[in-house]
Amino acid sequence: MSHALFLGRFNRPSLPDYIEERLLETECRMEAAHQTHLGYPYNLTLDPPVPAALSPFLINNLGDPYGGSTYGANVHELEREAMAWLMRLWGAGNSQNFWGSVGASGTEGNIWGLHLGREAFPDAVVLHSADAHCSVPKAARLLRIDAVPVSSTPSGEIDLQALADVLPGLGGRPVIMVLTCGTTMKGAHDDIAGAIAVLEAAGLGPDRRFVHVDGALSAMVVPFLPDAPDGIRPMFDHGIDSISTSGHKMIGAPMPCGAMVARKVHVDRMARAVTGSLPHDPTLMGSRNGHAVLAMWARFFGHGHQGFARDAQTCTQRAQWLAGQLRRAGADVLCNPHSLTVVFDQPDDDLVQRYQLACQNGRARAVVMPNVTTALLRNFVADYSDWLDCQPRAAAALTRLACHA
Ligand SMILES: *Cc1c(COP(=O)(O)O)cnc(C)c1O
C-alpha cells in the first residue's frame, strides 16, 4: 500500500527486494522520527499534501519565474501566484515593483539577498547581529563582502546602541543590514524599524543602505499575530529591500525549500550588469524545484491566511505554556514574546536524541510547530523534569521543593 506512494501512477509491478526493504525501513524510520520531533522549526503537518499523481513528473521552474522557459513541465504561473501571496503578506503594495522566486532554502534566500545588496553597493559592509544565522556570515564570505557582527541583547535581538556604535568605524562605506525575524536559537525578533532609524540617524539613507530581512521562520508567524509590535513586522514599508523565508519551516512544504521577495529595481540592476548575448537568469540556482513550488502554493491557497493565523496563535500560546511548565519544574527558560522557540539547559543525550533538540553552548531549543501536540509537550515536560530532578544542581532542586511545599 505504502509502496504506491513511491511508484506513483506508473504502478510498476515490483522493485528488487532489497530496494523494497530499504525503502520500507526508511519509511518506518521517518514515521518514528516525526512522532517525537520537537527541536527544529519544521512544520510536519504536511497538509494539504500535493497529490502523489504529480510526483513522477520532472517539474523544473527553470530560470526567471516571470520569464520562464520553453520547458513545458513547469509551474511558473503557480510560482508567480505564490510569490504574489507573500508580497501581499509582507506589505509589498504594488506587486509590479517586486520580484520573487522559490529557491532551495532559507540559506539561498540569504545568499541572494546579500548578492542583490552587493550589486547595489559594491563596497558595502554587511552588518548582522551576533545571533544571526550562520548562513549570513557564510553568504558574506562567499560573496567576499566584509561582515561586522553587532552585539545582541541577552534575549537575542540586535542591540541598537551597539549598532549605532559600530557605524562611525565603517569609514563612510554603505551598509548591507541583515535583520532577523525569529533568530535560530532564541526565537528573537530584531527591531527592524528601530535599526533602520539608527541607520537613518547616521546618514545611511536608502541611497547608502540595503536592508535584507532573514525571516526563515517568523516572517511566516509575526505577520499573523495582531498584537505583535509594528517594529518587528517584516513589512516592506519599513524600507526593507528583500525578505526571505524557508519553505519547510512554517509554510509546511514537505521538502527543504525557500522563497525570497525583493524590490524589482535591485533585480533589474543585476540583469543590466550581466552583459553579452546569453539570456539573463535572475535566480541563483537556474533549475528550480517545481514540486517545492507546488507544495508552497498548495499551502498558501489551501491552508490560507486564516489557517496560518490559527497556527501562529496556537503555537505561540503552546510555546508559552511549555515555558511555564518547564519553569515550574525548576528549569531556567527563555521564551521571547511572539515566539515559538523555548530555550533551556541541555538535557542528557537520550532526551536530546529522542526529541531531536538543537543544542548550542549547553543550551537546547524546542520549537512548537503546528504539528506539535499538547500530548507531545506533556511527555517532554515529564521527561525533562525527571532529568532535572536527577541533576546535582542545588538551585533547581530548591525551586522544586519550594513549588511542592
Ligand atoms: C533555519 C534558518 C535559516 C536557514 O534556512 P534553511 O532553509 O535551513 O537554509 C536562516 N535563518 C534563520 C534565522 C533560520 O532559523
Side-chain angles (χ1 to χ4, degrees), residues 109-133:
N110 285 343
I111 294 172
W112 215 225
L114 263 62
H115 175 60
L116 292 177
R118 195 198 62 188
E119 290 297 298
F121 303 109
D123 61 339
V125 179
V126 165
L127 298 178
H128 62 80
S129 97
D131 275 61
H133 188 259

Side-chain angles (χ1 to χ4, degrees), residues 360-391:
Q360 201 176 71
N361 303 329
R363 298 281 278 172
R365 167 199 78 183
V367 190
V368 181
M369 297 302 286
N371 60 294
V372 172
T373 59
T374 45
L376 176 58
L377 292 180
R378 279 207 181 85
N379 287 343
F380 177 70
V381 169
D383 287 344
Y384 192 85
S385 306
D386 287 348
W387 169 79
L388 207 55
D389 280 347
C390 300
Q391 297 314 295

Side-chain angles (χ1 to χ4, degrees), residues 105-107 110 133 135 180 182-184 214 216 246 248-249 257:
S105 62
T107 296
N110 285 343
H133 188 259
S135 60
T180 309
T183 63
T184 308
D214 174 2
S246 295
H248 54 291
K249 291 187 178 172
C257 56

Side-chain angles (χ1 to χ4, degrees), residues 17-287:
D17 281 353
Y18 74 97
I19 300 279
E20 291 245 16
E21 272 165 33
R22 292 297 294 277
L23 290 179
L24 198 59
E25 186 188 300
T26 306
E27 188 181 337
C28 294
R29 200 161 53 77
M30 297 302 118
E31 228 170 283
H34 273 17
Q35 291 307 319
T36 55
H37 176 262
L38 201 55
Y40 289 80
Y42 302 159
N43 184 346
L44 306 181
T45 50
L46 313 183
D47 163 57
V50 174
L54 280 160
S55 64
F57 295 105
L58 198 174
I59 308 178
N60 186 352
N61 270 16
L62 184 60
D64 190 350
Y66 302 85
S69 75
T70 52
Y71 180 67
N74 72 70
V75 287
H76 280 121
E77 189 181 345
L78 300 185
E79 183 175 16
R80 291 193 295 272
E81 290 176 20
M83 293 304 101
W85 195 97
L86 280 179
M87 288 172 192
R88 276 193 300 280
L89 181 68
W90 295 334
N94 184 355
S95 64
Q96 297 296 312
N97 298 329
F98 289 80
W99 180 95
S101 83
V102 168
S105 62
T107 296
E108 184 190 326
N110 285 343
I111 294 172
W112 215 225
L114 263 62
H115 175 60
L116 292 177
R118 195 198 62 188
E119 290 297 298
F121 303 109
D123 61 339
V125 179
V126 165
L127 298 178
H128 62 80
S129 97
D131 275 61
H133 188 259
C134 57
S135 60
V136 173
K138 176 162 74 177
R141 194 170 169 82
L142 194 63
L143 293 159
R144 289 186 178 239
I145 313 172
D146 294 332
V148 177
V150 178
S151 309
S152 40
T153 66
S155 56
E157 67 265 7
I158 192 165
D159 181 332
L160 294 183
Q161 186 56 51
L163 174 63
D165 292 345
V166 301
L167 298 179
L170 301 180
R173 291 165 71 183
V175 301
I176 299 169
M177 181 83 242
V178 181
L179 297 164
T180 309
C181 184
T183 63
T184 308
M185 285 311 290
K186 295 180 182 165
H189 304 99
D190 287 343
D191 179 353
I192 297 167
I196 291 175
V198 168
L199 298 180
E200 287 279 350
L204 288 154
D207 56 333
R208 296 190 51 225
R209 65 155 194 255
F210 182 101
V211 179
H212 173 71
V213 170
D214 174 2
L217 172 60
S218 295
M220 276 298 297
V221 178
V222 168
F224 299 105
L225 296 173
D227 55 340
D230 203 47
I232 67 168
R233 292 183 178 278
M235 300 296 277
F236 277 104
D237 52 15
H238 285 310
I240 296 167
D241 293 283
S242 58
I243 303 178
S244 63
T245 195
S246 295
H248 54 291
K249 291 187 178 172
M250 200 59 176
I251 294 174
M255 70 282 283
C257 56
M260 192 198 70
V261 172
R263 290 182 190 273
K264 198 161 175 296
V265 58
H266 300 306
V267 178
D268 290 345
R269 179 185 302 108
M270 183 175 60
R272 282 198 307 276
V274 179
T275 53
S277 57
L278 293 172
H280 178 66
D281 175 4
T283 66
L284 176 58
M285 285 301 167
S287 283

